[in-house]
Amino acid sequence: FQLIRGGRDPALQIRPTLKVLALLAQRKLLPAAAFEELSGAYVFLRRLEHRLQYLDDAQTHELPEGTGDRSLVARAMGFHSWDAFRAALEAHRARVSSHFEQVFSAEEVSKHALAPLWTGPEQAETRLGQLGFRDPAGTAARLAAVRSSPRYDGLPQASRARFDALIPRIIEESAAQEDPDAALVRSLEFIETVSRRAAYLALLEEHPAALARLAQLLGASSWAAEYLNRHPVVLDELLDARALFARPDWSAFVQELRGQLASRQGDEERQMDWLREAHHALVFRLLAQDLSGALSVERLADDLSDLADAVLQVTLELCWTQLRVRHREEPRFAIVGYGKLGGKELGYASDLDLIFLYEDPDDRAPEIYARLAQRLSRWLTSRTAAGVLFDIDLRLRPEGGSGLLVSSIDAFRRYQRESAWTWEHQALTRARVCAGEPAVGAEFEEERRAILRIARDEAKLRRDVLSMREQLLQGHPNEGGLFDLKHDRGGMIDIEFIVQMLVLAHAHRRPQLTANSGNIALLKLAAKLELIPGDSADAVADAYREYRRRQHRLRLNGARYARVPAGEVRNHIAATRALWRRVFASE
């Protein structure tokens, strides 16, 4: 762990083994049980080492042969007999070996059975076909192209030897995937991408289990392949399956971010890079869990949203400390998320819809918080060697793109009550505070609920919502024969608009509807309040789940549009259209 992570995590560069083990457990890189067992074994073996050396006053690590010496060692270790001591020793050794095997894998033999496929004999196509490749001729040609490429020719001898050793294993692992051809193409592309980094080649050659996990990820998703090619630094996450598949501890993650950024104080470039690498690493862990089937779409969206919240909070704190002029110790400032972030439906590639608010009577506040918002935006969107944190969209702020970058709560309140369009109130149904001062966040939430509870002319509201829906349809024409899960009639946007209409039309009498609890929960609440039939709410909730699941899978494999044959979701479309007609009295 120190060799793998110590370069990016200075805290792991300490020497005392027990302190390192405790730190690994604290950061969830080791399970609590592993920490206890490894710590216990380390103390036991250290005590044994000292007693062996006391025995003959010599540097030795070998157990004694004589009966008398064995008896002395056993008693010194607190055992009544040599057999009891030896049983305890073997138990500790077995536990250490077990944990070692979970992190490392034994090296394979140097000559792989599939090595001839890499050298390109005439029988390669036949053998590739036997392995299950659907286009053996194309696969053989791709291997030959890699072998004759300038990039391969330019590798140092040691790196080329590792590259040569890896390719047969990659062929073998790719053949085990559902789509061997795609898995191999993506794996070869990735190996070429990292080939000039000898450490990455060594990592994969020396740890077959990591290579197997890599092939599984690349075979399962073209988006995962693109992500790894952009951020190969996350490769070391594959070494330990326990850490890779552990649930995130958000409190520990935030503390880790704060500590690491503090250790790089004064070096903004290193801070930016580390923040991005930490974010990439956690996204990659979630991706691995997602592709393994461990996460539902809803759970993944919650995790990605929580991750964004954590990064926003820490980045806000850091940007505040970097301002030269600050008029208070802590800013009275909040970051509000709209859209996918606000509704906790964030995807891997979602941008963040944000607005910045403050509540501060100081005359200097507008200028200082404007500078804070500018710095925060730069930190989130700047491209460094480690990439970009987030793409952000600030156009939902009062007055849109022409408005001030940051608004006071009072200005936000006036705008929402006097100038906002209906669609801006629709957007408020999915808004929430993601980071910042809790008191400012509470004021925003109170105002958000108050605005949603305003009594509205239902006929005008219906016309406004229908008009906005028509604009969205015109902006996303679908002239193909497939059903667009998001934009077409009967799809996800229709469901979202149904929920928003129910909230804005009825929240003045049913304040429970102002809760930002998600579209499915709000549909069920509307049914409980007898605003819509229960069977319709259940059917449309099922449709929304299925649409999201299908959309997610399509995007994981690079689909530009989330479109499917309409017949596959016919019942979901019908249920959504039926509830639409009931709520809007319109097609």
Side-chain angles (χ1 to χ4, degrees):
F1 283 101
Q2 287 180 299
L3 288 174
I4 293 167
R5 300 176 184 271
R8 286 189 286 153
D9 188 347
L12 290 174
Q13 296 172 12
I14 58 177
R15 298 186 68 178
T17 300
L18 290 175
K19 289 185 178 180
V20 176
L21 286 171
L23 191 58
L24 292 172
Q26 178 186 333
R27 296 183 178 176
K28 309 300 182 184
L29 296 173
L30 272 183
F35 164 66
E36 295 293 340
E37 291 180 356
L38 291 173
S39 298
Y42 184 80
V43 171
F44 182 94
L45 293 170
R46 273 296 195 186
R47 289 177 57 232
L48 175 58
E49 177 188 43
H50 294 155
R51 281 150 182 77
L52 290 175
Q53 293 172 0
Y54 292 154
L55 192 63
D56 291 317
D57 194 22
Q59 288 289 113
T60 182
H61 296 87
E62 295 183 1
L63 296 175
E65 296 292 336
T67 302
D69 286 345
R70 286 184 170 186
S71 180
L72 287 172
V73 169
R75 288 199 302 272
M77 290 294 292
F79 294 89
H80 67 276
S81 69
W82 175 258
D83 288 342
F85 157 74
R86 192 59 188 259
L89 173 62
E90 293 305 321
H92 280 299
R93 292 183 62 194
R95 285 191 284 268
V96 172
S97 295
S98 173
H99 291 299
F100 185 90
E101 289 300 323
Q102 290 182 56
V103 176
F104 299 100
S105 298
E107 294 188 17
E108 297 179 352
V109 295
S110 59
K111 189 67 173 177
H112 195 283
L114 298 181
L117 295 178
W118 174 231
T119 58
E122 294 181 2
Q123 300 90 339
E125 291 184 25
T126 301
R127 185 72 180 103
L128 289 167
Q130 293 170 346
L131 288 170
F133 288 90
R134 298 164 189 171
D135 180 14
T139 300
R142 180 76 177 98
L143 288 166
V146 172
R147 190 172 179 84
S148 61
S149 68
R151 179 175 292 184
Y152 174 77
D153 286 340
L155 291 176
Q157 184 175 354
S159 294
R160 190 185 300 185
R162 291 189 184 278
F163 197 103
D164 290 342
L166 280 170
I167 296 300
R169 299 179 189 176
I170 288 172
I171 296 172
E172 180 181 40
E173 294 294 349
S174 298
Q177 307 310 312
E178 184 175 344
D179 186 344
D181 301 70
L184 182 58
V185 167
R186 295 167 191 165
S187 297
L188 291 174
E189 181 181 356
F190 178 74
I191 294 299
E192 287 187 288
T193 297
V194 302
S195 61
R196 296 191 183 279
R197 298 289 298 273
Y200 291 147
L201 296 179
L203 183 153
L204 292 172
E205 185 193 12
E206 294 168 9
H207 304 290
L211 181 62
R213 294 182 196 114
L214 175 66
Q216 291 165 7
L217 287 167
L218 297 178
S221 166
S222 62
W223 190 89
E226 293 170 7
Y227 191 81
L228 271 164
N229 276 290
R230 290 197 307 271
H231 309 298
V233 70
V234 303
L235 191 61
D236 60 26
E237 299 293 331
L238 292 171
L239 287 179
D240 185 359
R242 295 175 302 188
L244 185 65
F245 293 101
R247 290 291 305 144
D249 181 334
W250 298 115
S251 176
F253 178 69
V254 167
Q255 292 304 317
E256 170 75 0
L257 289 181
R258 288 171 176 152
Q260 293 292 344
L261 291 170
S263 72
R264 293 162 173 80
Q265 188 172 0
D267 190 336
E268 184 174 285
E269 183 177 353
R270 287 186 66 215
Q271 287 179 318
M272 279 191 169
D273 282 344
W274 193 88
L275 191 60
R276 283 152 177 74
E277 289 173 1
H279 178 259
H280 298 331
L282 226 162
V283 168
F284 182 67
R285 290 188 201 177
L286 294 174
L287 176 62
Q289 294 174 29
D290 175 21
L291 293 175
S292 74
L295 298 179
S296 66
V297 174
E298 292 80 11
R299 177 72 266 180
L300 173 67
D302 283 346
D303 285 343
L304 289 171
S305 301
D306 289 341
L307 173 58
D309 290 356
V311 173
L312 287 171
Q313 179 63 41
V314 173
T315 307
L316 170 60
E317 293 169 359
L318 183 66
C319 289
W320 179 250
T321 65
Q322 292 178 338
L323 290 183
R324 292 181 179 178
V325 178
R326 301 193 304 274
H327 63 300
R328 59 172 63 248
E329 187 67 25
E330 300 292 339
R332 291 187 51 79
F333 182 96
I335 302 174
V336 176
Y338 279 72
K340 294 296 185 184
L341 176 62
K344 300 200 82 170
E345 293 185 355
L346 211 61
Y348 292 118
S350 300
D351 60 3
L352 306 187
D353 294 313
L354 305 175
I355 69 168
F356 304 131
L357 299 176
Y358 70 91
E359 175 63 12
D360 192 329
D362 194 291
D363 291 340
R364 297 165 293 177
E367 181 179 355
I368 291 174
Y369 291 130
R371 290 177 180 170
L372 174 61
Q374 290 169 351
R375 180 175 288 270
L376 180 60
S377 298
R378 180 174 66 82
W379 263 77
L380 295 175
T381 61
S382 292
R383 181 172 295 279
T384 74
V388 173
L389 262 180
F390 300 107
D391 291 321
I392 64 173
D393 189 338
L394 304 176
R395 290 175 295 177
L396 284 172
R397 65 186 187 269
E399 304 294 350
S402 62
L404 296 174
L405 193 59
V406 60
S407 300
S408 68
I409 289 285
D410 284 342
F412 176 81
R413 180 182 295 111
R414 285 194 304 273
Y415 177 81
Q416 291 292 337
R417 292 174 181 269
E418 299 172 9
S419 305
W421 297 84
T422 298
W423 67 263
E424 292 177 283
H425 288 176
Q426 289 179 249
L428 270 182
T429 65
R430 287 159 60 86
R432 65 181 179 88
V433 175
C434 300
E437 166 60 42
V440 180
E443 288 196 50
F444 164 79
E445 178 60 15
E446 181 180 351
E447 182 59 24
R448 185 189 76 86
R449 289 178 179 257
I451 292 166
L452 296 181
R453 290 197 303 268
I454 293 173
R456 293 170 171 84
D457 180 332
E458 194 166 332
K460 180 181 183 303
L461 173 64
R462 185 176 292 109
R463 289 194 300 272
D464 289 348
V465 175
L466 288 172
S467 175
M468 176 53 63
R469 182 67 182 103
E470 188 61 33
Q471 289 182 48
L472 290 178
L473 279 171
Q474 293 175 6
H476 297 86
N478 178 10
E479 298 176 357
L482 298 177
F483 173 72
D484 191 303
L485 294 166
K486 181 176 181 179
H487 295 289
D488 281 354
R489 289 290 194 188
M492 294 171 68
I493 288 182
D494 273 8
I495 296 173
E496 292 166 1
F497 271 48
I498 288 170
V499 171
Q500 291 162 14
M501 178 67 190
L502 290 169
V503 172
L504 295 178
H506 300 286
H508 66 288
R509 292 190 303 268
R510 303 284 194 275
Q512 309 98 304
L513 290 167
T514 62
N516 182 0
S517 52
N519 290 305
I520 290 173
L522 286 171
L523 282 168
K524 293 183 176 181
L525 177 59
K528 183 179 179 181
L529 296 173
E530 299 183 345
L531 301 175
I532 57 175
D535 56 350
S536 293
D538 290 341
V540 174
D542 289 343
Y544 197 67
R545 287 193 193 92
E546 179 63 10
Y547 290 161
R548 287 186 65 193
R549 187 189 68 80
R550 286 175 175 262
Q551 179 191 57
H552 179 62
R553 291 301 157 193
L554 287 166
R555 288 180 174 171
L556 277 176
N557 279 293
R560 182 179 179 186
Y561 300 109
R563 293 176 178 173
V564 300
E568 294 182 3
V569 289
R570 181 185 302 109
N571 292 339
H572 295 315
I573 296 171
T576 302
R577 299 294 295 131
L579 186 56
W580 178 276
R581 288 191 293 271
R582 184 182 186 93
V583 171
F584 288 99
S586 167
E587 287 293 332

